[in-house]
Amino acid sequence: MAKADVLFDKTEFIVQIADKQAMSMNVKAEDITSITFEPCEYKKLFGLSKGISEHIVVKTKRMPVMIDKIAVEKKKAGNWENIKSQMEAFAKSNKLSVYHETEVWKLPSLGSDGME
């Protein structure tokens, strides 16, 4: 799994992801349309068990950027709560829309429910 780090400035933040190859992405406040904090479900051990985690979805004019809690915490000095609070402060100072989801979204089942 990749390791991630986030660096904040007044008008932009940088997401650094280190997997087999290092990658960084600059995200400017003027390009952001919204920021969403939401829980997510992930699979452990070949999908045999599941767990609940969190991620931050930053929607931009070009493409969404996802910052995952597990990737941040795999980083040696990764601190998820610190990144969340810095992202909140970044959004507030740049007057960006912030949403907090509380439930994990699941696909509806396609089984029969008595409707024909």
Side-chain angles (χ1 to χ4, degrees), residues 90-115:
F90 176 81
K92 186 176 181 179
S93 69
N94 289 291
K95 299 177 182 161
L96 300 170
S97 299
V98 177
Y99 303 101
H100 294 273
E101 298 291 332
T102 56
E103 294 184 23
V104 176
W105 187 83
K106 295 183 181 178
L107 288 170
S109 64
L110 297 175
S112 65
D113 57 352
M115 296 177 67

Side-chain angles (χ1 to χ4, degrees), residues 2-114:
K3 297 177 184 178
D5 195 17
V6 184
L7 306 170
F8 290 90
D9 192 14
K10 288 183 180 182
T11 59
E12 70 180 343
F13 66 89
I14 302 169
V15 180
Q16 297 176 330
I17 301 169
D19 197 4
K20 293 179 181 176
Q21 293 183 347
M23 180 181 92
S24 66
M25 183 181 313
N26 293 10
V27 182
K28 295 183 180 186
E30 62 195 36
D31 295 335
I32 297 173
T33 57
S34 69
I35 298 173
T36 306
F37 297 88
E38 58 187 25
C40 62
E41 188 174 75
Y42 69 95
K43 295 179 181 179
K44 299 188 269 186
L45 194 60
F46 304 111
L48 299 176
S49 63
K50 296 179 183 177
I52 301 293
S53 184
E54 290 180 271
H55 59 236
I56 301 170
V57 179
V58 180
K59 293 182 182 169
T60 66
K61 294 175 184 173
R62 291 182 287 149
M63 62 183 234
V65 176
M66 188 178 305
I67 303 167
D68 187 61
K69 178 181 180 179
I70 296 170
V72 167
E73 291 184 342
K74 283 191 178 246
K75 184 87 173 160
K76 188 174 183 181
N79 185 346
W80 179 250
E81 294 302 321
N82 186 25
I83 288 175
K84 279 177 58 175
S85 65
Q86 286 182 334
M87 186 65 77
E88 288 270 1
F90 176 81
K92 186 176 181 179
S93 69
N94 289 291
K95 299 177 182 161
L96 300 170
S97 299
V98 177
Y99 303 101
H100 294 273
E101 298 291 332
T102 56
E103 294 184 23
V104 176
W105 187 83
K106 295 183 181 178
L107 288 170
S109 64
L110 297 175
S112 65
D113 57 352

